[in-house]
Amino acid sequence: MGSLPAADKPLPALRYPPARRDDDIVDDYHGVTVPDPYRWMEELESEEVKGFVDAQAAVAEAVLSTCDDHRVRLRGQLTALFDHPRYRAPFKRAGSYFYLHNPGLQPHSALYVQHGLGGGEEPDVLLDPNTFSDDATVSLAMFGVSHDGEHLAYGTSASGSDWVTIRVMRVRDRRHLHDEICWVKFSAIAWTRDGKGFFYSRFPAPKNDGAPLGAGIKTSVNLNHEVYYHFLGTDQSEDLLCWEDPDHPKYIYTPEVSEDGKYVILSVAETSEPVNKLYYCDLSALPDGLEGMKGNHGNAMLPFVKLVDEFEAYYALIANDDTQFTFLTNKNAPKYKLSRIDVNEPHSWMDILPEDEKAVLESACAVHGDKLLVNYLSDVKYVLQMRSLVTGELLHDIPIDIGSVNGISGRRDNSEVFIEFASFLTPGIIYRCDVSKETPEMNIYREISVGGFDRTDFEAKQVFYPSKDGTKIPMFIVSKKSIVLDGSHPTLLYGYGGFGMNMTPHFSVTRIVLMRNLGFVSCIANIRGGGEYGEDWHKAGSLANKQNCFDDFIAAGEFLVSAGYTNSSRLCVEGASNGGLLVAACINQRPDLFGCALAHVGVMDMLRFHKFTIGRAWTCDFGCSEKEEEFHWLIKYSPLHNVRRPWEKGHRRQQYPSTMLLTADHDDRVVPSHTLKFLATMQHVLCTSVKESPQTNPIVARIDRKSGHGCGRSTQKIIDEAADRYAFAAKTMGISWID
């Protein structure tokens, strides 16, 4: 039996807690004065901020308590569907296979090891993150297995923070070494081929402000990244400093060891823009190896050679044959290509696989000697091919369904490749492929099955709709089969549109429950700012062109209404991080178009984002308020600075949609003050400063405890948050449960 319609359980009388406004804080930006009355909310550890957070949590819970019927049912259905085995593609080291697996409702996937796949030993748990903490808030953030398969180095993160602590264990007997490496952030674990240690990146320890260094959230700007080499079995204080550059404190370094073990390659970035410098060091040429460098008490850094020393393009290592290196690059190729250079001849660049006219070259993996498994994105659909590493010529196509290739696991010294695939209606398939054969077969190694899900009940399609300037934008629409386009269906519109990130087909238990039990149509708009059509598509939605993202997303909503999928009172928009900014900017610009808005961990203060943690790296996409021209771009759409009363524009009863802002107390990427300041501003402008305000739709925040920007959350936290936000959407849009 279905539940009562949401309208039968009225929302509580909303009393938003007062938030102190400091009208004395006014900044001057190039002659323009901008007040910032909630600046105090940037002091996240203060008692005043904690009190505000607690008061807002009480408001949110009062609203959510009226949604309990939906909440309980959602939680039950989500739990039932999440309770299925999940696997990631295995990778091989010295005869052993390593992979992540969750049998169902465990908080985190565990790392398994299996010695041989055919009739050998049973798989065994190597490392179980579910033992890291009693409340499942410590997660496995990164790991790397040595080339000989003897040692595992792994990084843990507490409460979803970007800060990582690395530890080491011996694979054969699960014994932990005493090694512990702290203050690691934005790093890789790059083992040297001899298995004696690994490269990693870290920041200097934050200054002690009186609080324990491991407590709370650190919001100070991250500067002076460094690269170290850690020798197994030694203290971190003995690690070898391999690279630093105090003259460029904003640089971020990612070390990588070539598959032949001869070189360490250093990628140098300054922002999130797809450009990097490229340095390399011939480890085999060090007279006494890395151990000899360690004995150098002058702490001389590794003798890196600067192969590319300008931020002109992006380069990612694909393979090397001695001094011949092959890179994936966007140098004069916005849709990417493969180029090769002999590092002994710095001007010897030549294209191996030229840029395609239409498809974006997403990735390339060198396997089985001189073969390349390349992955293209064509109209947001994946195309797999086998090519020659030597010449780039096409050997054969590898047919796959419409969906996403989420990972390729293979090496040049092996003919075995694993390919991870999923789509809107395919929970996941891991293919095993022997590429030594003339025509490799894609054999199903593992197929993920979700009990209670029948894909034949649903359909997925792609449409192209015009944006404000006429640009055709692709969008995926997933729904129950054969729905009638009568404008009645609740619809979820999701978007991102930034940093060249692609929104490709993926499976979501949550989306299935929404479609099956609440009648939702689920849509993903591939708006500009993403990388779905390469760097030109990305740049068309960044910097001075950022408004295109919002226009594209608004046009998606208008299309869904005009095509008969939904109406504005039943259209819910959702996005996270840059997508949270997207949602917030769009409800400012078109509050009439949406019935509900869910904005996760959004960048809401476009004038000050660069002042916290790694926010400075986003100026490549947004610009920076310290530059006059860029300030004028930002102030026009910054969510915090553009909350307006719609009813003052002549629409007497017009209001903002029901809005839930989501953040987490340990988000040290997009710090919670973004959401807190935006929340206080919305409540003040639309509600508390107005007598008999037309704004009756709720404006609330869900502030998760002991969580971060989204990574490392337990299964239960994922279920609880999804139940809360979609119960809120269903309640406020008047949607009834369907059994």
Side-chain angles (χ1 to χ4, degrees), residues 424-425 458-461 476-480 511-512 515 520-524:
F424 290 120
L425 303 178
F458 304 93
E459 60 185 358
K461 62 182 177 181
F476 291 107
I477 300 177
V478 192
S479 68
K480 287 182 181 172
R511 186 165 46 224
I512 298 302
M515 293 188 293
F520 268 85
V521 174
S522 180
C523 309
I524 295 178

Side-chain angles (χ1 to χ4, degrees), residues 56-67:
Q56 290 292 345
V59 172
E61 186 51 43
V63 171
L64 285 169
S65 67
T66 69
C67 316

Side-chain angles (χ1 to χ4, degrees), residues 335-336 356-363 374-385 387 397 400-405 462-464 473-476 502-505 526 531-534 537:
K335 291 185 177 66
Y336 291 81
D356 191 85
E357 288 184 12
K358 294 182 179 179
V360 181
L361 182 57
E362 276 278 285
S363 68
V374 301
N375 191 15
Y376 281 101
L377 194 61
S378 177
D379 276 336
V380 207
K381 295 184 282 288
Y382 282 89
V383 177
L384 267 182
Q385 296 176 341
R387 289 181 175 267
D397 293 306
I400 54 169
D401 290 337
I402 293 175
S404 297
V405 175
Q462 186 182 43
V463 299
F464 292 82
I473 311 296
M475 176 163 59
F476 291 107
N502 300 329
M503 295 285 106
T504 61
N526 298 112
E532 286 87 350
Y533 293 96
W537 194 252

Side-chain angles (χ1 to χ4, degrees), residues 479-480 482-492 518-521 560 564-572 733 735:
S479 68
K480 287 182 181 172
S482 306
I483 59 169
V484 179
L485 298 183
D486 57 4
S488 69
H489 306 286
T491 297
L492 181 69
L518 289 168
F520 268 85
V521 174
L560 290 166
Y565 285 96
T566 190
N567 60 72
S568 59
S569 70
R570 292 200 143 197
L571 177 57
C572 177
M733 295 197 301
I735 301 164

Side-chain angles (χ1 to χ4, degrees), residues 120-196:
E121 295 182 32
E122 287 295 306
D124 191 19
V125 175
L126 175 61
L127 184 69
D128 186 359
N130 301 298
T131 65
F132 291 171
S133 60
D134 292 337
D135 59 2
T137 59
V138 178
S139 63
L140 179 63
M142 60 195 295
F143 61 90
V145 178
S146 60
H147 178 76
D148 58 12
E150 289 291 320
H151 289 94
L152 165 75
Y154 67 93
T156 61
S157 160
S159 300
S161 171
D162 281 336
W163 290 109
V164 168
T165 301
I166 296 177
R167 296 176 176 85
V168 181
M169 78 183 311
R170 205 161 59 192
V171 171
R172 67 174 178 270
D173 58 8
R174 316 295 191 261
R175 187 176 75 82
H176 273 83
L177 280 61
H178 294 298
D179 311 48
E180 183 173 289
I181 301 168
C182 302
W183 302 115
V184 177
K185 202 177 200 184
F186 310 132
S187 178
I189 293 172
W191 285 92
T192 43
R193 194 174 174 95
D194 59 15
K196 292 181 178 179

